[in-house]
Amino acid sequence: MKFYDILLTIGNYIKIYPAKKRNKITEGFLPTDADLANAKKYSRVMIFGADGAGDYFCKCNTPNFNRIFAHGSRTFTGLSQFPTISAQNWGSVLHGVTYQKHKLTNEVAATMNFVNKDLPSIFRICGERHPDKTFASIVNWYPINKGIVENDVPGLYKVSGGELYKGPSDTKATDKAVCDEIISFIRDKDPMILFTHLDTPDHGGHTYGYGTPGYIEHVEYSDELLGKVYDAYCEKGWKDDTLFILVTDHGHVCRTRKDGSAFGGHGGWTDSEKYVTLAVAGGLGDIVDGQMGPAGTLDVASIALYALGEKQPEVYESRVPKNVFNTLK
């Protein structure tokens, strides 16, 4: 985080409206055993994480997002965790709880392995229940695999961008290497859960600021890679029995340097930082076409587990948002 982001985060913490109220449990369904028995079960879940893209998949040219989720359940006003920072949110996406419970920060995730077995990720839950299955976390940002996803999950393949791209610093090239690795991986493997994280939108946000042409171009590049991954799944014949999820972790602000150029950042609770995209699509006839109910980044965990027919642990605070599955009413 830049110095301004740190000051903004501290300032938000001491306001009357504290983080624990912002990161409330959302309003969806906690599936019962009967709900799970009646669910249409998918063979696999593919989670596409676009770091820093906020609500911008509905504000720029994203033809792949549009075709994949054209008849899916969508929201562009889902809520980030507060503070609106990466580890706080990817921790919630994968562990199904608020930041106050998982306590992951960028610094913690970058330096410490995640070892809390009382707060399992969706990988651990499904890996221990299905030790014969394959799982994958193929990401740009290494702290996800270092300190958010556990090391000892049965059948889990983990690789980060720095291991895949060895050239000079280039976020787009690293994201492309991540997507190329996914396409290569699924040629021979059939992952029950595959999670990927691209960092290009966040790089665009920091460099150019929210809503600027440079930011838009970076979000649109992530859409291009989204299409390549989706097409690879389709080529395997997996389109109908894969649940596709796209989630962003936070947005950005737009500030101005002394020379008049724009730049960005995040960590606060402005609309451009807190609103995220969450979209769900699948081919089993159970996805509601239209506006998703109130949702947050932590709810991805519940959506994924329900789609696979798996009961979520009691420790989870996530819920399946309303108007995602027509089998939950």
Side-chain angles (χ1 to χ4, degrees), residues 258-288:
K258 291 182 180 180
D259 65 4
S261 62
F263 71 106
H266 53 91
W269 199 244
T270 61
D271 287 355
S272 64
E273 292 168 279
K274 71 183 181 183
Y275 287 139
V276 300
T277 302
L278 178 55
V280 179
L284 298 185
D286 62 335
I287 305 300
V288 176

Side-chain angles (χ1 to χ4, degrees), residues 241-268:
D241 60 349
T242 299
L243 189 80
F244 295 95
I245 302 172
L246 182 140
V247 62
T248 67
D249 59 337
H250 57 73
H252 272 269
V253 294
C254 189
R255 307 177 188 132
T256 304
R257 299 182 179 92
K258 291 182 180 180
D259 65 4
S261 62
F263 71 106
H266 53 91

Side-chain angles (χ1 to χ4, degrees), residues 19-37:
K20 66 181 180 180
K21 290 186 178 179
R22 302 177 192 205
N23 296 346
K24 64 181 181 179
I25 299 173
T26 49
E27 302 173 6
F29 299 98
L30 177 61
T32 64
D33 291 341
D35 290 330
L36 292 169

Side-chain angles (χ1 to χ4, degrees), residues 3-262:
F3 181 67
Y4 182 95
D5 295 321
I6 295 172
L7 291 179
L8 185 61
T9 299
I10 293 172
N12 275 288
Y13 264 119
I14 62 176
K15 288 180 180 178
I16 295 174
Y17 189 42
K20 66 181 180 180
K21 290 186 178 179
R22 302 177 192 205
N23 296 346
K24 64 181 181 179
I25 299 173
T26 49
E27 302 173 6
F29 299 98
L30 177 61
T32 64
D33 291 341
D35 290 330
L36 292 169
N38 292 328
K40 295 184 178 180
K41 296 176 180 59
Y42 286 82
S43 300
R44 62 191 69 77
V45 169
M46 195 280 151
I47 304 170
F48 191 96
D51 201 300
D55 60 355
Y56 238 80
F57 275 89
C58 68
K59 295 181 176 180
C60 56
N61 184 28
T62 53
N64 293 297
F65 176 89
N66 294 341
R67 69 183 172 103
I68 295 166
F69 299 102
H71 299 290
S73 178
R74 307 166 297 279
T75 182
F76 303 101
T77 55
L79 287 179
S80 174
Q81 290 292 295
F82 180 75
T84 50
I85 302 173
S86 294
Q88 281 84 337
N89 280 281
W90 299 123
S92 292
V93 165
L94 295 171
H95 289 271
V97 297
T98 60
Y99 160 60
Q100 284 69 35
K101 182 162 284 190
H102 66 63
K103 303 184 186 304
L104 289 164
T105 66
N106 288 1
E107 294 74 18
V108 169
T111 57
M112 300 174 63
N113 294 329
F114 192 90
V115 295
N116 184 356
K117 292 190 176 182
D118 293 328
L119 194 57
S121 71
I122 56 175
F123 287 118
R124 178 176 290 285
I125 292 167
C126 293
E128 292 184 347
R129 293 176 185 175
H130 304 278
D132 58 323
K133 297 291 186 179
T134 300
F135 306 87
S137 179
I138 303 174
V139 302
N140 181 317
W141 193 51
Y142 82 93
I144 291 174
N145 283 343
K146 168 69 176 178
I148 297 178
V149 178
E150 303 94 335
N151 280 335
D152 57 347
V153 174
L156 175 61
Y157 173 71
K158 296 199 298 182
V159 65
S160 303
E163 302 167 80
L164 299 171
Y165 175 73
K166 303 295 186 180
S169 180
D170 186 327
T171 306
K172 286 185 178 180
T174 305
D175 277 356
K176 181 180 183 302
V178 167
C179 287
D180 288 346
E181 178 68 9
I182 293 170
I183 294 168
S184 176
F185 182 79
I186 67 171
R187 286 190 187 124
D188 301 313
K189 305 291 185 182
D190 183 0
M192 185 177 189
I193 300 174
L194 190 148
F195 171 74
T196 190
H197 159 280
L198 301 187
D199 209 38
T200 299
D202 192 52
H203 177 75
H206 281 290
T207 305
Y208 302 106
Y210 178 87
T212 62
Y215 178 71
I216 291 169
E217 190 272 331
H218 281 66
V219 175
E220 291 177 350
Y221 183 71
S222 70
D223 180 75
E224 178 183 332
L225 297 181
L226 166 66
K228 292 181 183 297
V229 171
Y230 177 77
D231 288 343
Y233 268 73
C234 292
E235 288 170 10
K236 293 287 293 187
W238 296 345
K239 177 181 176 181
D240 290 341
D241 60 349
T242 299
L243 189 80
F244 295 95
I245 302 172
L246 182 140
V247 62
T248 67
D249 59 337
H250 57 73
H252 272 269
V253 294
C254 189
R255 307 177 188 132
T256 304
R257 299 182 179 92
K258 291 182 180 180
D259 65 4
S261 62

